[in-house]
Amino acid sequence: MTPTQQPRTYWLEHAWLGDRVEPGVVLVTEGERISAVRGDAPAPPPGAEILRGLTLPGLANAHSHAFHRALRGTVQVGSGTFWTWREVMYSFADKLTPETYHALARAVYAEMALAGITAVGEFHYVHHAPGGTPYADPNAMGEALIAAAADAGIRITLLDTAYLSSGFGQAPNSHQLRFSDGTAEAWAERCSVLKDRDHARIGAAIHSVRAVPADQLATVARWAEERRAPLHVHLSEQTAENDACREAHGCSPTRLLAEHGVLGPRTTGVHNTHLTDEDIALLGGSGTGTCMCPTTERDLADGIGPAAALQKAGSPLSLGSDSHAVIDLLEEARAMELNERLRTRTRGHWTAAALLRAASAGGHAALGWDGAGALEAGALADFTTIALDSVRTAGPLPRLGAETAVFAASAADVSHTVVGGRHVVRDGVHTLVPDVPRALADAVEALRG
Ligand SMILES: [Zn+2]
């Protein structure tokens, strides 16, 4: 990230200040941080850049598999389950190289910037060449993703993922060989070489209790603990995982993680869909976060997770676009509320403000980006502006901008995205990747061919 060191002044027509929409706000950035936020500015000061609409803190996409973007459309033909979807997904994973993955991820992260996303959590498990042979640089794939985020102008937390088995007591299948380091020790050795940089943090992930044997869970947890790094894990997305875990270990996946030291405030369970009351208490009581991915969960026919109960029990919420059926954090936010409405036949489980916090501050916290997710002096200068005069958003009173953004706007209404003081999307145009649709089409075509 190479932010200008000159102070820059923005005039925000409306700004979301965490609990309210404020009209007429001056925001000053210096380097990669916000140096001042002042209200009561009905007109732009001389020289200020004008951001019309509602400016929000940057959105954090806490769960991504960048290559799943290549599945869009393709996986909507025919019927099946999560498990048949997974076969199509593996056919694309088989074809990735560091070069083709870099091209695809650069385009996908550019799509994210255009959707107001300023930080992504990349849950990364395609580590080695097909068959499992390491590349000359064993982290070539992870480095390709870190470079792709830099090229697209967004922050990344690379959640380097341990993936060692196909199921309880089963070796990786032919597709999964390239995901595996063999042992958790070998995984730790490889990812210890990866280093944080200005736009990138290194975190850890356990793919799932299916993919990391119980006696190796603690190795991954310890690696994250020693570095105070985020640790993510796919948790109880499917009932088949729960059934197999009970058969192998006589307990739920959540209980298994708890017994091996995986749960805690720097850990995030992704999906947390099919949980018992005891699981919810374990996750909430340990402060373990919950990342909901509602557009993927409905796309894959997973079910609806107990997000409201988890939050009430003490689990902080974040949101992710996961398989990228769509990339739209506003849609993820409203889907979490609307799922709960369908399930309970009552309305108003979260306010728009609470949903925006999950889409921003909650996601940044889950990804280890402290100091992002608020428009305040000292915070990272990561913010995004939603047009309030589009065909979707025109009409409501501006003071209802948060409600309008969450319940009516889409990624198409994002007009500006600033990351670390750098204006990455201006007037709906990406300033670093000239033709994002073309970049996406070319990158997907390269994998299809
Ligand atoms: Zn996932």
Side-chain angles (χ1 to χ4, degrees):
M1 217 152 282
T2 51
T4 168
Q5 293 303 310
Q6 297 288 332
R8 292 188 65 97
T9 301
Y10 294 89
W11 181 74
L12 318 180
E13 187 184 21
H14 303 281
W16 187 66
L17 299 182
D19 55 357
R20 68 191 188 283
V21 172
E22 182 99 356
V25 168
V26 172
L27 182 150
V28 183
T29 66
E30 278 183 56
E32 66 165 7
R33 292 194 179 266
I34 297 171
S35 57
V37 177
R38 288 190 300 273
D40 203 16
E49 178 147 5
I50 295 169
L51 302 184
R52 295 225 173 265
L54 175 67
T55 297
L56 309 170
L59 305 177
N61 190 356
H63 190 66
S64 161
H65 309 282
F67 78 92
H68 291 192
R69 176 63 176 79
L71 303 168
R72 196 179 287 182
T74 303
V75 282
Q76 303 301 349
V77 180
S79 56
T81 64
F82 170 87
W83 305 103
T84 54
W85 169 89
R86 195 176 72 156
E87 289 305 311
V88 183
M89 185 267 279
Y90 281 164
S91 71
F92 281 91
D94 289 346
K95 294 182 190 151
L96 295 167
T97 67
E99 293 73 28
T100 58
Y101 205 4
H102 172 266
L104 177 59
R106 168 179 172 271
V108 173
Y109 297 155
E111 181 182 355
M112 289 187 193
L114 287 166
I117 291 161
T118 53
V120 61
E122 180 64 36
F123 197 106
H124 165 56
Y125 55 83
V126 188
H127 301 304
H128 305 298
T133 311
Y135 290 104
D137 171 2
N139 285 307
M141 291 295 248
E143 291 289 354
L145 293 164
I146 291 171
D151 292 348
I154 69 170
R155 299 181 196 279
I156 183 170
T157 297
L158 187 76
L159 299 159
D160 195 297
T161 304
Y163 195 126
L164 309 171
S165 57
S166 185
F168 297 92
Q170 293 168 27
N173 68 29
S174 61
H175 302 290
Q176 296 161 343
L177 284 171
R178 67 182 310 192
F179 309 162
S180 176
D181 293 293
T183 65
E185 281 79 18
W187 165 86
E189 197 177 320
R190 179 181 53 71
C191 25
S192 294
V193 178
L194 289 161
K195 296 285 174 267
D196 287 354
R197 45 215 97 164
D198 282 354
H199 81 293
R201 295 264 180 282
I202 309 303
I206 290 163
H207 179 276
S208 57
V209 293
R210 285 183 279 118
V212 177
D215 61 2
Q216 300 190 56
L217 290 168
T219 304
V220 184
R222 209 163 33 239
W223 187 95
E225 176 65 35
E226 283 166 4
R227 286 160 184 76
R228 311 205 61 69
L231 172 60
H232 288 215
V233 53
H234 288 132
L235 182 56
S236 290
E237 180 177 7
Q238 294 288 323
T239 53
E241 172 180 299
N242 290 0
D243 297 343
C245 187
R246 279 194 190 285
E247 194 163 313
H249 296 290
C251 66
S252 71
T254 302
R255 165 60 69 189
L256 191 69
L257 294 177
E259 286 176 359
H260 289 86
V262 175
L263 303 186
R266 276 178 302 91
T267 300
T268 296
V270 180
H271 304 302
N272 294 358
T273 308
H274 300 287
L275 302 180
T276 64
D277 290 347
E278 191 211 4
D279 294 338
I280 293 170
L282 281 170
L283 292 166
S286 60
T288 302
T290 293
C291 179
M292 285 287 162
C293 306
T295 68
T296 291
E297 288 148 7
R298 70 194 188 200
D299 186 64
L300 296 181
D302 285 347
I304 300 171
L310 280 160
Q311 187 179 39
K312 194 161 170 234
S315 180
L317 298 179
S318 56
L319 295 162
S321 66
D322 189 2
S323 69
H324 312 312
V326 296
I327 294 177
D328 188 338
L329 263 280
L330 301 171
E331 174 63 30
E332 302 293 346
R334 73 173 152 261
M336 186 164 70
E337 162 69 19
L338 298 180
N339 278 350
E340 200 68 8
R341 290 185 190 182
L342 285 170
R343 203 172 63 75
T344 62
R345 290 181 286 156
T346 58
R347 308 177 78 238
H349 302 274
W350 290 276
T351 61
L355 293 167
L356 284 176
R357 276 194 288 279
S360 180
H364 284 105
L367 297 178
W369 289 102
D370 299 334
L375 299 179
E376 62 187 25
L380 288 169
D382 295 5
F383 46 91
T384 188
T385 305
I386 313 286
L388 293 179
D389 59 356
S390 79
V391 72
R392 287 166 293 278
T393 57
L397 292 168
R399 69 178 167 79
L400 297 176
E403 286 76 8
T404 308
V406 170
F407 288 101
S410 79
D413 296 309
V414 169
S415 49
H416 296 274
T417 302
V418 173
V419 187
R422 186 191 208 182
H423 213 130
V424 175
V425 173
R426 178 177 267 121
D427 295 319
V429 177
H430 203 291
T431 61
L432 306 173
V433 180
D435 185 344
V436 179
R438 167 68 26 212
L440 284 162
D442 288 349
V444 173
E445 179 60 30
L447 292 178
R448 210 184 280 125

